[in-house]
Amino acid sequence: MTGGRPAVLACILLLFFVNYILGAELMINEEKLSITITVLYNNVPTDTNLTTAWGMSCLIEGPGKTILFDTGGQGHILLDNMTRLGQDPGLIQAVVLSHIHGDHTGGLGDFLAVADEVEIYVPASFLGEFKRQVQQLGHQVIDVNRPIQIVPGVFSTGEMGREIKEQALVVQTKSGLVVITGCAHPGIVDMVRRAREVVPGDLYLVMGGFHLTGFSPAAVQEVISGLKRLGVQKVGPSHCTGPAAMEMFRQAWGDDFLDLGCGGQVRIPVLTE
């Protein structure tokens, strides 16, 4: 009996090792088959280890290119938060700027100083001088007027709005569409409606700035009702949405309200054939 114990112990250790390897492979495969969205810059705190400041930026990691959506207002804060989150600016292959305001574009210069060559997608109405300065740094600028596909499964709504031109991102996932807005100056309901026209499907998550600071409760409720009618399953408002409006969204969506301020993260399985 005593002689069999080492063999039993060896079998147990072998099973443990195999299960460990299989578990690690499953985690790797899960990451490869998921879209991960991390908020790098925001005035709304989620991760208290990060620096908050007025503005918006998030990172979209998936099977295609790694995309930076907006750059916040101050580059040193953006880069410091990325370092704290273990994110390498050199791995980013595309930048999408929602609109021209400095709290969304101000960090671009510092980011480009440490990044490799990237494609930068901007609303076509961006000032020519802004685009020329970026091109002089060796980066390709792509004007966005109409809806376009940036990488498979990630789209721009195209330039929207009359006064402040803005684009939003639409990400296809297995759970439905994720719509990411910078400030939603053209109106969050209109931008989400456009997103579903560009990429038909269920609306899983709408996140980012909803531009509702200072709006009356009645006006916010009208927006909430509009998003509910569109079938939005989850919301993650931040930035310029405003504390009062955010609380109304939290009450309206309950457990489907996601805290996606600075450092907030969501991982969603990608759409597969």
Side-chain angles (χ1 to χ4, degrees):
M1 295 293 291
T2 304
R5 287 178 181 174
V8 172
L9 181 59
C11 288
I12 292 173
L13 290 174
L14 178 61
L15 287 172
F16 176 81
F17 179 74
V18 169
N19 285 333
Y20 175 82
I21 294 297
L22 290 175
E25 287 181 353
L26 285 173
M27 289 180 63
I28 292 171
N29 288 334
E30 181 183 355
E31 290 183 0
K32 287 182 178 179
L33 296 175
S34 297
I35 292 282
T36 301
I37 303 171
T38 306
V39 181
L40 304 174
Y41 194 114
N42 210 288
N43 46 285
V44 175
T46 294
D47 184 343
T48 56
N49 292 319
L50 302 182
T51 301
T52 56
W54 184 260
M56 167 70 180
S57 176
C58 68
L59 190 69
I60 300 98
E61 301 171 273
K65 294 179 180 178
T66 298
I67 299 171
L68 182 66
F69 179 74
D70 284 346
T71 64
Q74 300 178 65
H76 70 279
I77 294 177
L78 173 69
L79 295 176
D80 182 60
N81 283 348
M82 290 187 71
T83 298
R84 296 186 189 190
L85 290 167
Q87 298 290 353
D88 181 0
L91 298 179
I92 294 171
Q93 298 144 302
V95 176
V96 178
L97 299 178
S98 63
H99 63 295
I100 193 66
H101 286 171
D103 54 332
H104 296 260
T105 63
L108 182 64
D110 286 347
F111 166 76
L112 292 180
V114 299
D116 291 332
E117 185 176 343
V118 295
E119 299 173 341
I120 303 175
Y121 295 78
V122 302
S125 60
F126 263 39
L127 295 174
E129 182 59 27
F130 181 99
K131 295 182 234 184
R132 281 192 292 273
Q133 289 180 5
V134 172
Q135 289 169 333
Q136 287 172 0
L137 294 174
H139 303 280
Q140 181 182 5
V141 176
I142 299 170
D143 284 336
V144 178
N145 185 6
R146 298 180 179 181
I148 62 168
Q149 179 174 260
I150 295 172
V151 297
V154 181
F155 302 80
S156 165
T157 58
E159 190 177 60
M160 297 181 63
R162 295 183 178 179
E163 296 181 4
I164 300 172
K165 307 290 188 179
E166 187 168 346
Q167 63 176 328
L169 275 187
V170 190
V171 183
Q172 286 181 304
T173 77
K174 190 174 182 179
S175 300
L177 303 179
V178 176
V179 182
I180 309 173
T181 60
C183 269
H185 287 287
I188 185 64
V189 175
D190 286 343
M191 296 196 84
V192 172
R193 185 180 294 113
R194 167 71 70 83
R196 196 171 64 176
E197 292 171 355
V198 172
V199 189
D202 294 333
L203 292 161
Y204 176 68
L205 169 65
V206 178
M207 61 175 288
F210 293 1
H211 198 60
L212 296 173
T213 299
F215 278 51
S216 69
V220 174
Q221 184 57 53
E222 185 177 346
V223 171
I224 288 172
S225 298
L227 293 178
K228 288 279 190 179
R229 284 193 297 270
L230 288 171
V232 174
Q233 299 174 36
K234 298 178 185 292
V235 293
S238 63
H239 182 39
C240 56
T241 306
M246 285 180 62
E247 183 56 32
M248 290 182 67
F249 275 87
R250 187 184 296 274
Q251 292 178 10
W253 266 269
D255 291 341
D256 288 324
F257 179 99
L258 305 184
D259 290 308
L260 291 175
C262 192
Q265 185 179 87
V266 60
R267 177 178 292 167
I268 312 165
V270 297
L271 184 66
T272 55
E273 295 297 335

